[in-house]
């Protein structure tokens, strides 16, 4: 988890040393904009500290299907209460 200014936490921030940590969310295979081809992470899931404690997992859904759906890859998170 990464603490942001204010009281929100980026629950999708992983430790870069861990397998499966979240990396880029753009571009995807359908990107046709030559000015937006640099791989970067533009998509996040933010929560309060209290809510973040219930996070089970978070990941970027990078599959052949999601590469064709949008110019951004979906970011998913599951919370267990």
């Amino acid at each position: 988890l990464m603490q942001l200014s204010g009281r929100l936490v980026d629950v999708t921030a992983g430790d870069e040393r861990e397998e499966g940590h979240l990396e880029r969310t753009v571009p995807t295979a359908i990107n046709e904009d030559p000015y937006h081809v640099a791989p970067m992470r533009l998509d996040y899931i933010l929560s309060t500290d209290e809510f973040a404690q219930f996070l089970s997992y978070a990941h970027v859904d990078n599959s052949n299907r999601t590469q064709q759906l949008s110019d951004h890859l979906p970011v998913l998170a599951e919370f267990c209460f």
Side-chain angles (χ1 to χ4, degrees):
L1 303 177
M2 180 172 68
Q3 183 71 41
L4 303 174
S5 61
R7 297 184 50 112
L8 296 178
V9 177
D10 175 8
V11 298
T12 55
D15 184 334
E16 292 185 7
R17 296 167 294 181
E18 293 178 9
E19 182 180 339
H21 73 279
L22 298 179
E23 296 188 18
R24 67 170 184 86
T25 58
V26 296
T28 62
I30 66 167
N31 179 53
E32 296 180 0
D33 185 347
Y35 297 106
H36 294 94
V37 295
M40 63 185 76
R41 183 166 167 238
L42 293 177
D43 303 280
Y44 304 86
I45 298 176
L46 305 175
S47 80
T48 63
D49 283 327
E50 296 80 13
F51 195 71
Q53 68 183 331
F54 298 104
L55 179 70
S56 295
Y57 75 91
H59 74 276
V60 174
D61 188 356
N62 187 355
S63 66
N64 289 333
R65 181 173 164 237
T66 58
Q67 284 283 336
Q68 302 300 320
L69 292 175
S70 174
D71 60 340
H72 289 241
L73 293 170
V75 180
L76 306 171
E78 181 177 294
F79 297 85
C80 292
F81 301 97

